[in-house]
Amino acid sequence: MGPGRRRSLPLLLLLLPLLSLPTAWGDCGPLPNISHAEPPESAKHQGSFSVGSKVTFRCLRGYIKRPLLSDTVQCLANSQWSNLLEFCGRSCPSPPRVHFATISQDEMQNFYPVNATVKYICRPGYANTTDQLPTSTCLDDLAWSEVPQLCQRKSCGIPPNPEHGKIIANDHLFGAKADVVCNRG
Ligand SMILES: *[C@@H]1O[C@H](CO)[C@@H](O)[C@H](O)[C@H]1NC(C)=O
Ligand SMILES: *[C@@H]1O[C@H](CO)[C@@H](O)[C@H](O)[C@H]1NC(C)=O
Ligand SMILES: *[C@@H]1O[C@H](CO)[C@@H](O)[C@H](O)[C@H]1NC(C)=O
């Protein structure tokens, strides 16, 4: 072992900080920019991530995660971030609830791009009076169009007057109540 080898150890210690600069091997650099999405506050300004790190993004206001697309990037073994498809799309919130109809079961989802239309079916006690059922459309300003009231309360028929009494009712449609009043005596 010559004196030269002893001297090379301090030199290596001197170089060590240079080798661990932000772009060190086995690390990914800052997070990629993802359209209409942001990373958690804690990861936003972080310059380096170790291999295997996973970061989940969140859609910006007015955007909602598309079903079936991933929202998480991962730092891969080659020090590159995995790619994400543009998973945040402009979407209306949940469609409006109305007292006379419910959203048709097969329309249940949570991503409604502009021009998406949902169909409604009349609630029990209500019936469509034409062959049209109510629909609502996600408009350009991400609000839903008004749901037309195409379902009307069903009729129970006019209640028959009892013997020695009469019926007092405003109407005879679903939800109505009728009072029965006995004749004097
Ligand atoms: C991401 O966007 C910021 C601000 O718009 C920009 O400064 C930065 O260079 C972008 N990074 C990448 C990797 O495109
Ligand atoms: C929505 O429909 C209208 C009318 O058909 C069309 O002009 C518009 O480009 C559509 N918007 C989107 C985002 O598809
Ligand atoms: C109500 O709508 C359904 C489905 O569109 C239709 O089959 C039915 O004939 C409609 N009822 C009336 C009274 O038009």
Side-chain angles (χ1 to χ4, degrees):
M1 213 186 274
R5 196 180 257 284
R6 274 226 304 274
R7 211 172 283 142
S8 67
L9 188 62
L11 188 66
L12 184 66
L13 287 175
L14 205 74
L15 286 171
L16 215 50
L18 290 175
L19 294 174
S20 59
L21 276 174
T23 48
W25 290 340
D27 278 32
C28 286
L31 288 167
N33 288 338
I34 311 283
S35 317
H36 316 305
E38 61 175 7
E41 202 57 42
S42 58
K44 210 173 256 181
H45 305 292
Q46 197 172 326
S48 169
F49 294 80
S50 56
V51 167
S53 302
K54 285 183 181 173
V55 178
T56 298
F57 283 68
R58 204 170 46 112
C59 295
L60 301 178
R61 184 189 283 271
Y63 290 82
I64 287 182
K65 183 184 171 299
R66 294 176 192 272
L68 310 178
L69 292 188
S70 172
D71 55 2
T72 301
V73 289
Q74 184 170 11
C75 179
L76 303 175
N78 62 2
S79 300
Q80 300 282 315
W81 286 107
S82 61
N83 283 319
L84 279 192
L85 296 173
E86 202 173 308
F87 71 90
C88 295
R90 281 186 89 220
S91 169
C92 273
S94 299
R97 294 172 62 89
V98 290
H99 69 274
F100 55 87
T102 56
I103 295 158
S104 154
Q105 203 60 43
D106 53 308
E107 307 281 347
M108 293 292 194
Q109 51 171 341
N110 50 28
F111 186 76
Y112 302 96
V114 170
N115 288 348
T117 293
V118 291
K119 294 195 194 79
Y120 288 79
I121 47 174
C122 297
R123 285 188 195 269
Y126 292 80
N128 48 313
T129 48
T130 67
D131 59 4
Q132 261 191 321
L133 285 168
T135 63
S136 181
T137 300
C138 176
L139 304 177
D140 210 39
D141 61 357
L142 299 183
W144 289 98
S145 64
E146 200 183 327
V147 186
Q149 185 148 5
L150 293 172
C151 300
Q152 306 293 334
R153 288 154 71 210
K154 284 188 196 168
S155 170
C156 286
I158 296 167
N161 277 324
E163 223 179 317
H164 312 302
K166 62 177 176 186
I167 296 284
I168 299 171
N170 288 334
D171 64 43
H172 43 86
L173 302 178
F174 171 66
K177 280 203 186 96
D179 289 322
V180 181
V181 181
C182 296
N183 292 339
R184 191 183 291 268

